């Protein structure tokens, strides 16, 4: 009887940790934990290490490599001559069989993997053996669009940081997985949730928010890495002035067919208080320029997505690249791609900091973004000036025909172009690599007032057109000219992101389970591996004991309903 | 059943059952005539609630109570429920297991229904396998009659508590296609 009582108590505690909402999706039928003592090689990730992460030759210290987010690994051990020999080192199976958009970190041979529903596994990056497994105690209410994803952790000074579906930020001991602090970022009952990886810099943890489909007011916040105390908040929707300049054309000069007179009339009638529900989520990790203490990110769609009548004006800073001060969170500049968006063709894919020639041939420090529109946008880092935009990577048609109740066809479809998928840059070649979708859609508008934060609020719908083929395209864009250097088409729309390496290689995955390596210069497909579930996560690379590895999650995707899995697969040369 | 087996069973129960099972079960007595005590309805016009997401049930009860959703049977049932009642009921039904019994349409084109459902991007919100998530309802295992009524109600705006999302999706879909979609969804378990 005693043992039963003890067992029940332990079971209750375990369930409290697990949270009821996660239960249905857990892999059941066995204990997935193989806990062993943490590797003695693991050292804290100091700020000095993060400062050098962009050129780091051994570890993968941030989800997108370093603060510039180039996703470029400088080893050429695995290269275009030998990649055909690549074989699996090990397969790690996580505890959660659901959509994986995560990029692992690798620190001193220890890999940190996140899953849907906010689990973290710390494993040996060579053997795949598990050190610890953290399960977030999910709150009773979660509200999120596009799947229960998580895109990874940040590491700093012996801690790892994860943001959660119930809109919390947690700090864990990197060695043990024990929780050090936890803070509530925003109210999940009002549509706030977290799927992005935080960024750790100068004692701060930077985090955005999801919720543009629920009528939130978006932000980027900075928390003290040691205490979890809020340092500053930048609201992506200003309280005053969100109507902007009443832009009639998008960044590329296309007429957006706005009825400015009607919008102005509506603004005077309703007032501007709708800033509180105007959306503007920040879905992906910001880039940081440490020379100028500037944080760069893109802001997502206005709420509601497709019904614009009740949110007159440009809806700043939705669908924009924004630069703010790292120390204070104060505004520096913005560039809006699409004012008053009614197509959900917003800005999601993370900003990359690199250099590119301007029109006079002079090299400039730039911030680039791959848009759902199908263009790569190149901005001056100091001013936001649009230096150029690339040729269209995917078919465009009838931009910007307005949505109707019956639906109007326009290309690209609402998923892009480039969705959240991070691009990669090879600076030696001057190329940015973008994972694109081609999904012909019709756009439908439906009048809808704010439903209170607890319901999806799209103000319409977008639908795939039966009979029109969908496919994917990996595009290499010359950022010095805006021309397409090469493109490689895939059977299914691409979502997951890109890794580039000094081995003249580019890696990306497909929803059908193919994980592919391409020649970075020519686009020739050099190697492919069948992962058994959708490879819809960005790959990473690292070295342990002088040997290079490639790692990628194969968990499928909720948004495109690709086959689910729970694997992280690691590759090496024989 | 030995202790070990009992412990396994207990570990498989969601925490909410341990917290609210008795309250929710007690309060669900009055719902049982239509929805079944365990949420497995035997009348195809009344929805299966077993395994439904707690958040969806709670919000629907709240919408019935404040007349954002209207039904001659449900509206009076929800009128006097407290927030605690609604949460207890939601947790109770969410903790119950679908028994594999639901009404289906036998003369439908399921292949066509799947294609139409894919084009409408149903699973982008309702999740893979139509298992639902949070405030988006589980549809797998739902009765065909209930599903088609909801789709048609959204289409003609008899049901409007969806912030317009479902109306926008189904407005342009002919009724016969909606029937194939509902038939396909009701075939999902």
């Amino acid at each position: 009887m005693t043992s039963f009582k003890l067992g029940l108590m332990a079971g209750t505690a375990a369930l409290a940790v697990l949270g009821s909402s996660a239960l249905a999706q857990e892999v059941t039928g066995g204990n997935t934990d193989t806990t062993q003592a943490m590797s003695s090689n693991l050292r804290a990730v100091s700020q000095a290490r993060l400062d050098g992460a962009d050129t780091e030759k051994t570890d993968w210290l941030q989800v997108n490599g370093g603060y510039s987010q180039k996703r470029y690994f400088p080893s050429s051990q695995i290269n275009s001559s030998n990649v055909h020999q690549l074989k699996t080192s090990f397969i790690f199976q996580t505890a959660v069989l659901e959509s994986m958009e995560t990029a692992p970190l690798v620190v001193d041979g220890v890999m940190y993997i996140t899953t849907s529903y906010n689990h973290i596994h710390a494993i040996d990056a060579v053997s795949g053996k598990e050190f610890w497994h953290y399960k977030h105690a999910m709150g009773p209410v979660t509200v999120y669009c596009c799947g229960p994803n998580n895109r990874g952790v940040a590491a700093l000074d012996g801690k790892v940081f994860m943001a959660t579906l119930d809109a919390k930020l947690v700090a864990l001991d990197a060695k043990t997985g024990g929780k050090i602090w936890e803070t509530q970022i925003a109210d999940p009952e009002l549509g706030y949730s977290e799927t992005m990886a935080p960024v750790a810099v100068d004692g701060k943890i930077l985090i955005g928010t999801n919720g543009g489909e629920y009528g939130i007011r978006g932000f980027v916040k900075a928390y003290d890495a040691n205490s979890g105390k809020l340092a500053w908040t930048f609201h992506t929707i200003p309280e005053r002035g969100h109507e902007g300049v009443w832009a009639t054309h998008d960044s590329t000069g296309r007429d957006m067919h706005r009825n400015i007179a009607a919008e102005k009339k509506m603004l005077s009638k309703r007032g501007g208080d709708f800033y509180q529900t105007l959306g503007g989520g920040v879905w992906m990790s910001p880039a940081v320029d440490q020379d100028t203490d500037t944080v760069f990110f893109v802001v997502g769609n206005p709420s509601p997505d497709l019904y614009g009548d009740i949110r007159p004006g440009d809806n700043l800073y939705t669908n924009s690249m924004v630069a703010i001060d790292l120390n204070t969170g104060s505004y520096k500049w913005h560039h809006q791609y699409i004012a008053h968006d009614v197509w959900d063709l917003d800005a999601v894919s993370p900003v990359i900091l690199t250099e590119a020639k301007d029109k006079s041939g002079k090299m400039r420090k730039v911030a680039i973004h791959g848009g759902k529109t199908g263009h790569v946008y190149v901005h001056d880092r100091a001013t936001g000036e649009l230096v150029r935009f690339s040729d269209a990577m995917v078919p465009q048609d009838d931009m910007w025909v307005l949505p109707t109740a019956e639906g109007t066809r326009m290309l690209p479809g609402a998923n892009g172009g480039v969705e959240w998928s991070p691009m990669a840059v090879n600076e030696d070649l001057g190329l940015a690599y973008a994972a694109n979708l081609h999904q012909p859609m019709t756009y439908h508008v439906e009048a809808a007032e704010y439903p209170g934060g607890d319901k999806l609020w799209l103000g319409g719908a977008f639908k795939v057109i039966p009979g029109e083929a969908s496919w994917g395209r990996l595009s290499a864009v010359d950022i010095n000219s805006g021309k397409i250097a090469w493109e490689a088409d895939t059977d299914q729309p691409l979502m997951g992101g890109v890794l580039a390496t000094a081995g003249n290689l580019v890696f990306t995955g497909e929803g059908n389970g193919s994980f592919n390596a391409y020649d970075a210069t020519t686009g020739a497909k050099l190697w492919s591996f069948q992962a058994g579930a959708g490879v819809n996560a960005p790959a990473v690379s690292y070295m342990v004991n002088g040997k290079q590895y490639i790692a990628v999650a194969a968990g499928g995707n909720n948004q495109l309903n690709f086959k689910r899995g729970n694997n992280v697969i690691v590759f090496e040369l024989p | 059943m030995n202790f070990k087996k009992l412990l396994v069973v207990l570990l498989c129960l969601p925490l909410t059952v341990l917290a609210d099972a008795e309250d929710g079960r007690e309060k669900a007595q009055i719902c049982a005539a239509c929805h079944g005590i365990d949420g497995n309805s035997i009348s195809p016009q009344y929805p299966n609630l077993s395994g439904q997401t707690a958040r969806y049930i709670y919000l629907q009860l709240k919408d019935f109570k404040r007349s954002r959703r209207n039904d001659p049977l449900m509206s009076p049932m929800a009128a006097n429920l407290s927030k605690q009642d609604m949460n207890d009921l939601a947790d109770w039904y969410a903790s119950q297991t679908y028994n594999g019994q639901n009404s289906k349409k036998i003369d439908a084109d399921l292949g066509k229904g799947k294609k139409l459902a894919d084009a409408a991007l149903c699973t982008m919100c309702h999740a893979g396998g139509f298992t639902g998530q949070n405030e988006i309802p589980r549809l797998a295992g739902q009765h065909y009659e209930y599903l088609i009524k909801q789709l048609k109600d959204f289409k003609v705006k008899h049901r409007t508590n969806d912030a317009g999302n479902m109306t926008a999706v189904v407005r342009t879909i002919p009724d016969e296609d909606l029937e194939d979609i509902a038939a396909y969804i009701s075939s999902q378990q």
Side-chain angles (χ1 to χ4, degrees):
Chain A
M1 210 50 209
T2 306
S3 65
F4 168 68
K5 271 186 184 165
L6 282 173
L8 180 59
M9 284 170 68
T12 307
L15 287 163
V17 168
L18 213 56
S20 57
S21 61
L23 272 170
Q25 292 78 17
E26 295 275 338
V27 174
T28 54
N31 184 0
T32 58
D33 299 318
T34 54
T35 306
Q36 58 174 341
M38 175 52 76
S39 162
S40 57
N41 293 332
L42 180 65
R43 294 174 298 127
V45 176
S46 62
Q47 184 58 46
R49 291 178 79 180
L50 291 177
D51 292 345
D54 275 323
T55 51
E56 169 64 46
K57 293 184 171 64
T58 304
D59 295 319
W60 189 265
L61 295 174
Q62 299 181 32
V63 287
N64 292 321
Y67 292 125
S68 75
Q69 309 207 113
K70 284 189 280 279
R71 300 193 59 73
Y72 178 82
F73 193 67
S75 173
S76 58
Q77 201 177 87
I78 297 169
N79 58 53
S80 47
S81 302
N82 62 22
V83 69
H84 65 278
Q85 300 175 54
L86 217 53
K87 67 178 187 67
T88 51
S89 312
F90 67 87
I91 297 173
F92 180 78
Q93 301 202 6
T94 74
V96 181
L97 182 71
E98 186 46 281
S99 194
M100 292 184 85
E101 298 184 354
T102 193
L105 298 196
V106 181
V107 184
D108 304 319
V110 177
M111 180 183 288
Y112 296 94
I113 300 161
T114 68
T115 71
S116 278
Y117 300 106
N118 299 117
H119 291 224
I120 308 174
H121 297 272
I123 69 170
D124 185 309
V126 173
S127 71
K129 287 184 180 167
E130 185 172 83
F131 296 123
W132 53 258
H133 173 194
Y134 171 82
K135 309 162 192 171
H136 176 62
M138 198 69 76
V141 176
T142 52
V143 175
Y144 48 81
C145 156
C146 314
N149 297 295
N150 183 273
R151 302 194 186 87
V153 296
L156 178 65
D157 292 339
K159 302 186 191 74
V160 291
F161 304 87
M162 174 172 65
T164 64
L165 288 174
D166 55 352
K168 288 176 178 159
L169 184 61
V170 294
L172 308 179
D173 184 319
K175 284 190 173 167
T176 66
K179 188 160 45 176
I180 296 171
W181 56 257
E182 175 179 289
T183 189
Q184 189 76 49
I185 299 169
D187 185 355
E189 293 212 42
L190 293 176
Y192 294 88
S193 64
E194 296 288 349
T195 55
M196 69 184 280
V199 172
V201 54
D202 292 351
K204 296 185 190 66
I205 306 300
L206 308 180
I207 190 74
T209 183
N210 305 342
E213 283 63 44
Y214 290 88
I216 58 145
R217 182 188 184 198
F219 54 72
V220 172
K221 292 179 189 253
Y223 288 88
D224 183 281
N226 286 318
S227 66
K229 196 174 159 222
L230 183 66
W232 50 254
T233 300
F234 172 81
H235 289 288
T236 59
I237 309 292
E239 188 172 339
R240 297 276 173 267
H242 53 73
E243 66 273 23
V245 298
W246 305 97
T248 55
H249 291 67
D250 75 357
S251 285
T252 66
R254 296 174 172 98
D255 189 340
M256 294 180 293
H257 303 117
R258 287 174 70 179
N259 186 339
I260 301 287
E263 284 185 47
K264 284 185 172 172
K265 195 174 162 191
M266 180 63 85
L267 184 62
S268 65
K269 183 179 153 196
R270 282 181 85 103
D273 280 354
F274 59 89
Y275 75 87
Q276 298 177 78
T277 59
L278 191 47
V282 175
W283 285 86
M284 300 298 293
S285 307
V288 181
D289 184 340
Q290 293 177 292
D291 291 341
T292 60
D293 281 353
T294 309
V295 178
F296 301 84
F297 50 90
V298 286
V299 181
N301 58 278
S303 305
D305 300 45
L306 295 114
Y307 176 50
D309 291 4
I310 55 171
R311 48 172 173 81
D314 293 354
N315 304 150
L316 294 175
Y317 304 105
T318 64
N319 296 41
S320 303
M321 186 184 287
V322 178
I324 63 174
D325 184 271
L326 171 62
N327 301 307
T328 62
S330 58
Y331 169 92
K332 287 195 173 183
W333 56 257
H334 80 277
H335 176 96
Q336 189 174 39
Y337 300 110
I338 305 162
H340 195 78
D341 173 28
V342 287
W343 303 271
D344 195 12
L345 275 179
D346 60 341
V348 201
S349 178
V351 175
I352 297 175
L353 305 181
T354 180
E355 295 187 5
K357 288 177 187 162
D358 64 15
K359 289 184 179 69
S360 66
K362 183 179 155 226
M363 285 305 273
R364 277 213 241 177
K365 288 187 171 183
V366 296
I368 70 171
H369 162 63
K372 278 186 175 179
T373 53
H375 297 291
V376 173
Y377 301 92
V378 180
H379 301 267
D380 185 287
R381 239 189 267 181
T383 64
E385 173 201 345
L386 183 63
V387 175
R388 69 175 52 84
F389 59 90
S390 74
D391 291 346
M393 296 180 282
V394 290
Q396 298 171 322
D397 205 1
D398 271 344
M399 288 166 82
W400 297 97
V401 64
L402 294 170
T404 62
E406 299 304 312
T408 48
R409 178 184 181 277
M410 186 186 89
L411 302 182
N415 285 329
V418 186
E419 238 283 4
W420 60 269
S421 311
M423 300 193 298
V425 167
N426 182 325
E427 289 185 324
D428 292 338
L429 298 174
L431 296 178
Y433 304 96
N436 282 276
L437 306 92
H438 170 71
Q439 261 190 316
M441 287 190 186
T442 48
Y443 291 82
H444 306 249
V445 64
E446 189 71 36
E449 291 290 337
Y450 177 60
D454 48 18
K455 297 222 181 106
L456 195 67
W457 188 33
L458 300 180
F462 35 81
K463 297 197 275 184
V464 167
I465 303 169
E468 288 199 39
S470 294
W471 40 262
R473 175 171 287 168
L474 179 64
S475 298
V477 174
D478 182 340
I479 54 174
N480 294 309
S481 68
K483 302 290 179 197
I484 309 290
W486 56 258
E487 53 195 25
D489 287 359
T490 56
D491 288 344
Q492 290 170 322
L494 289 180
M495 192 179 282
V498 189
L499 167 72
T501 76
N504 189 36
L505 290 172
V506 176
F507 292 86
T508 199
E510 301 182 53
N512 59 12
S514 293
F515 178 50
N516 307 324
Y518 299 86
D519 183 301
T521 311
T522 67
K525 189 164 41 168
L526 302 175
W527 171 84
S528 187
F529 176 84
Q530 175 51 244
V535 181
N536 301 110
V540 306
S541 187
Y542 57 95
M543 308 278 285
V544 181
N545 297 328
K547 184 166 190 172
Q548 187 185 1
Y549 299 85
I550 306 284
V552 73
N557 186 267
N558 179 93
Q559 198 168 339
L560 298 176
N561 203 21
F562 288 136
K563 185 181 175 185
R564 308 301 201 276
N566 64 324
N567 296 319
V568 172
I569 308 177
V570 175
F571 301 92
E572 62 181 27
L573 290 171
Chain B
M1 182 182 280
N2 61 31
F3 281 159
K4 214 173 193 178
K5 277 185 181 167
L6 181 60
L7 184 57
V8 169
V9 169
L10 284 166
L11 282 169
C12 292
L13 291 171
L15 179 64
T16 45
V17 177
L18 297 172
D20 299 317
E22 286 314 307
D23 282 354
R25 178 204 282 273
E26 192 61 34
K27 290 170 182 173
Q29 294 294 336
I30 197 168
C31 317
C34 295
H35 294 289
I37 186 61
D38 60 354
N40 284 292
S41 139
I42 53 168
S43 308
Q45 71 269 39
Y46 305 128
N48 274 333
L49 300 179
S50 55
Q52 185 53 275
T53 72
R55 189 72 183 156
Y56 174 74
I57 296 174
Y58 168 73
L59 289 173
Q60 295 306 304
L61 288 171
K62 193 172 152 190
D63 281 355
F64 279 121
K65 183 180 166 76
R66 58 188 174 176
S67 300
R68 288 191 179 184
R69 184 177 176 187
N70 296 296
D71 179 86
L73 289 174
M74 267 311 296
S75 297
M77 297 295 289
N80 295 315
L81 295 177
S82 68
K83 185 173 182 181
Q84 183 67 45
D85 293 339
M86 295 190 280
N87 273 316
D88 289 349
L89 288 165
D91 285 350
W92 166 251
Y93 285 121
S95 72
Q96 298 305 294
T97 307
Y98 167 58
N99 67 6
Q101 307 290 315
N102 68 313
S103 78
K104 301 178 178 72
K105 188 169 191 278
I106 50 171
D107 60 343
D109 185 341
L110 297 185
K112 185 179 165 205
K114 181 186 187 310
K115 276 184 188 159
L116 291 163
D118 286 348
L121 298 172
C122 300
T123 57
M124 201 158 154
C125 296
H126 290 279
F130 292 88
T131 54
Q133 51 187 350
N134 305 320
E135 84 287 4
I136 308 288
R138 173 188 174 91
L139 304 180
Q142 194 51 270
H143 293 306
Y144 169 79
E145 283 81 356
Y146 177 77
L147 286 173
I148 190 64
K149 179 172 189 304
Q150 300 313 305
L151 289 172
K152 289 180 177 174
D153 280 358
F154 281 125
K155 187 173 177 179
V156 298
K157 294 195 174 187
H158 282 166
R159 183 174 172 185
T160 58
N161 69 326
D162 65 323
N165 303 315
M166 282 302 301
T167 300
V169 171
V170 300
R171 181 196 289 277
T172 55
I173 303 178
D175 282 1
E176 57 269 30
D177 286 354
L178 288 181
E179 289 169 13
D180 284 332
I181 291 173
Y184 164 66
I185 295 172
S186 67
S187 75
Q188 302 294 296
Q189 300 291 308

